[in-house]
Amino acid sequence: MPESTESDDLFTMFPLEAGAPKAAFPKAEMFGQVAYQIVHDELLLDGVSRMNLATFCTTWVDDHARRLMAESLDKNIVDKDEYPQTAELEQRCVRMIADLWHAPDPAHTLGTSTTGSSEAAMLGGLAAKFRWRAKGGKGIPNFVCGPVQVCWEKFARYFDVEIRQIPLRGDRLTMHADDLAAHCDENTIMVVPTFGQTFTGLFEDVAAISRALDELQAATGLDIPIHVDAASGGFLAPFTAPDLVWDFRLSRVKSINASGHKTGLAPLGSGWAIWREATDLPAELIFNVDYLGGNMATFNLNFSRPGGQVVTSYYQFIRLGRVGYTLVQSALYGVAKHLAKGIAALGPFEIIHGGDPHRGIAAVSWRLAGEQTYNLYDLSDRLRTRGWLVAAYPLPADRGAETIMRVLVRHGFSRDMADLLLEDMKRAMAQLDRHPPSTSMTQEESGGFTHNATPAVRMHRPH
Ligand SMILES: *Cc1c(COP(=O)(O)O)cnc(C)c1O
């Protein structure tokens, strides 16, 4: 070996010695190997996604799904002419989901994949706005809902629609049908029940809301459609509570959104918007685009998008089928119930939702009962030292300063992991009892779990 003053050890190479470029667009290039190491190492500081019990989103997929994602990396879903089979798989998924949600004619209705429920919700909302206008609606359009995910506040602001959130009365945690009439008028373009609330995981009662709107129509003539935000519940209830009527079995339900990347089991970047019948999607929202020699209908907010999420959704649907989804989702509810029982047994907690598939999604939410020397932000912070990310956050403002905690049980969160979490909760509580925090934390101090609401919109929001 010749003598050399240069080392080929990665960590002695210049960029790694000097630090990664941060502020300005870098001038020089570096070896791919070095750049990879910088980025890879920096990401070590991110939380472990499977221990992130605050997220609703997929954090585990099997190797086949990973392979299909890698094989689809270069497929743009908008190029329907160039990648006709990806387009075909999207159409099959639309029909399958329409069938799952009991559309009257699933083979001929319209729907689309999206980047997530937020885009799908915008599309559902826009369709309702256009239908209202076509029926002669003037004035300022509004929609009525309970405590909603931030995407509906965005829809309201971005598209100039008034949001009418029904305040929670008494010990209610969901929108109640008997409050509807007081909030609806001739400019109400839709009512949006959340099927799987972000705060608590509870289902809003879509059937009761639909009946209340039938009564309102009989009394006043107002015919107000429903859009169901089934972001988290749309791929649960059809398998684990099939008798629960919340979908197109109710004729007033004109559109539904769901996140494929939540309980649909697809990787991140997947959502769906499905209309009851083709005529429920106003033609003005559909663009027929001539593109590289083909003609295609698009009704998305995005243009170019990766195709892998649709490919992988189709894989999951045919891999698991109704039987497989039922087994997977039932297992999640089993873990949620086990966890709820364990949390209740710890003592100072009152369970709000404990994983009953007829009441809500596979999640556990709870509050502190009585006075403690610590609050739920302190507990969340302690759990973080073991790597668990457990959301603590305040309920909507009309519930005062009440704080709750929530765990989402997702594919890949096993009973063993639930037991490890319970052990760590026990340890954290003992430590907080021995060393009470001098001043208890606030949500912001604890790092908060507000990452999909920008501070400009609202600080105090879970997902
Ligand atoms: C997660 C969620 C959304 C937003 O969905 P994304 O897929 O993250 O865009 C909307 N509504 C509800 C009820 C949700 O749980």
Side-chain angles (χ1 to χ4, degrees):
M1 285 283 281
E3 286 235 339
S4 165
T5 54
E6 283 188 20
S7 155
D8 67 352
D9 184 278
L10 217 50
F11 292 90
T12 62
M13 288 186 186
F14 173 71
L16 268 166
E17 247 187 4
K22 294 191 180 72
F25 200 92
K27 181 159 190 289
E29 56 180 330
M30 63 175 89
F31 287 114
Q33 195 187 359
V34 179
Y36 172 82
Q37 198 66 40
I38 290 174
V39 178
H40 173 87
D41 289 356
E42 180 129 10
L43 292 175
L44 292 173
L45 270 71
D46 274 348
V48 177
S49 64
R50 287 182 63 197
M51 295 176 82
N52 176 6
L53 306 180
T55 185
F56 287 72
C57 293
T58 302
T59 50
W60 188 87
V61 291
D62 69 21
D63 288 339
H64 303 291
R66 282 177 192 275
R67 260 162 64 194
L68 287 169
M69 281 301 281
E71 289 164 19
S72 313
L73 194 72
D74 49 359
K75 298 271 190 73
N76 186 348
I77 196 154
V78 88
D79 293 342
K80 298 188 199 289
D81 199 37
E82 291 75 7
Y83 308 123
Q85 287 324 109
T86 302
E88 164 64 17
L89 297 192
E90 179 181 24
Q91 286 314 304
R92 289 183 201 168
C93 287
V94 166
R95 293 194 287 270
M96 287 177 177
I97 300 168
D99 175 44
L100 192 65
W101 295 342
H102 302 96
D105 185 5
H108 297 104
T109 192
L110 288 173
T112 181
S113 68
T114 60
T115 48
S117 270
S118 301
E119 185 191 0
M122 309 284 154
L123 295 173
L126 282 170
K129 187 176 170 184
F130 276 68
R131 289 196 307 263
W132 163 81
R133 198 183 285 147
K135 277 172 61 183
K138 294 187 176 66
I140 298 171
N142 69 72
F143 71 99
V144 175
C145 58
V148 275
Q149 209 266 354
V150 69
C151 74
W152 291 105
E153 296 178 35
K154 280 193 192 170
F155 168 71
R157 202 181 297 176
Y158 292 175
F159 295 105
D160 265 330
V161 178
E162 180 196 345
I163 176 169
R164 293 188 178 168
Q165 274 182 286
I166 300 177
L168 298 174
R169 288 196 280 131
D171 57 3
R172 289 177 174 184
L173 292 170
T174 53
M175 165 173 39
H176 271 247
D178 50 1
D179 281 334
L180 272 176
H183 291 83
C184 293
D185 59 28
E186 68 282 2
N187 292 326
T188 304
I189 62 170
M190 62 181 169
V191 170
V192 180
T194 303
F195 196 65
Q197 247 192 8
T198 30
F199 294 91
T200 57
L202 292 167
F203 292 144
E204 291 191 318
D205 189 344
V206 187
I209 287 163
S210 180
R211 280 195 302 276
L213 291 173
D214 290 346
E215 284 162 23
L216 183 71
Q217 183 172 6
T220 65
L222 294 175
D223 182 6
I224 299 173
I226 292 175
H227 172 96
V228 182
D229 179 356
S232 58
F235 291 104
L236 288 174
F239 307 111
T240 48
D243 48 332
L244 198 64
V245 177
W246 63 277
D247 54 12
F248 294 124
R249 279 168 285 181
L250 302 164
S251 59
R252 207 170 274 284
V253 174
K254 301 300 182 204
S255 50
I256 301 174
N257 70 268
S259 299
H261 56 214
K262 290 183 179 173
T263 50
L265 310 180
L268 273 169
S270 166
W272 300 96
I274 309 281
W275 281 267
R276 175 186 187 74
E277 293 179 81
T279 49
D280 292 316
L281 178 63
E284 302 97 297
L285 289 180
I286 303 172
F287 285 81
N288 286 301
V289 181
D290 279 322
Y291 193 68
L292 301 184
N295 187 280
M296 67 192 180
T298 79
F299 39 101
N300 282 96
L301 300 182
N302 296 73
F303 193 69
S304 296
R305 248 183 327 123
Q309 284 77 354
V310 161
V311 170
T312 315
S313 295
Y314 182 70
Y315 160 74
Q316 294 286 23
F317 293 171
I318 63 168
R319 148 110 177 87
L320 290 169
R322 284 181 194 259
V323 170
Y325 266 88
T326 305
L327 290 171
V328 168
Q329 313 295 38
S330 302
L332 298 189
Y333 280 104
V335 174
K337 278 184 187 153
H338 174 71
L339 187 62
K341 213 166 128 202
I343 290 170
L346 290 174
F349 304 119
E350 183 194 328
I351 302 292
I352 296 168
H353 170 52
D356 175 348
H358 284 86
R359 284 189 73 224
I361 60 174
V364 184
S365 54
W366 66 93
R367 52 165 76 93
L368 260 184
E371 278 295 302
Q372 304 295 330
T373 53
Y374 55 88
N375 63 30
L376 292 174
Y377 301 120
D378 299 317
L379 181 57
S380 175
D381 191 57
R382 288 268 10 124
L383 289 172
R384 225 176 163 136
T385 64
R386 288 280 288 170
W388 300 111
L389 305 173
V390 183
Y393 48 85
L395 283 177
D398 35 301
R399 292 295 308 228
E402 194 179 348
T403 311
I404 70 170
M405 214 168 204
R406 182 197 67 198
V407 162
L408 270 315
V409 177
R410 302 183 313 274
H411 196 197
F413 187 70
S414 61
R415 191 183 166 111
D416 281 324
M417 287 171 81
D419 284 335
L420 292 172
L421 173 67
L422 284 168
E423 277 308 308
D424 281 337
M425 282 183 73
K426 206 182 288 177
R427 204 172 298 146
M429 289 160 64
Q431 195 169 22
L432 286 166
D433 273 333
R434 273 199 311 277
H435 309 285
S438 50
T439 53
S440 273
M441 291 220 171
T442 63
Q443 184 187 27
E444 281 89 312
E445 285 163 355
S446 78
F449 284 90
T450 56
H451 37 262
N452 81 344
T454 59
V457 175
R458 181 172 293 197
M459 272 308 288
H460 299 290
R461 269 292 153 103
H463 273 265

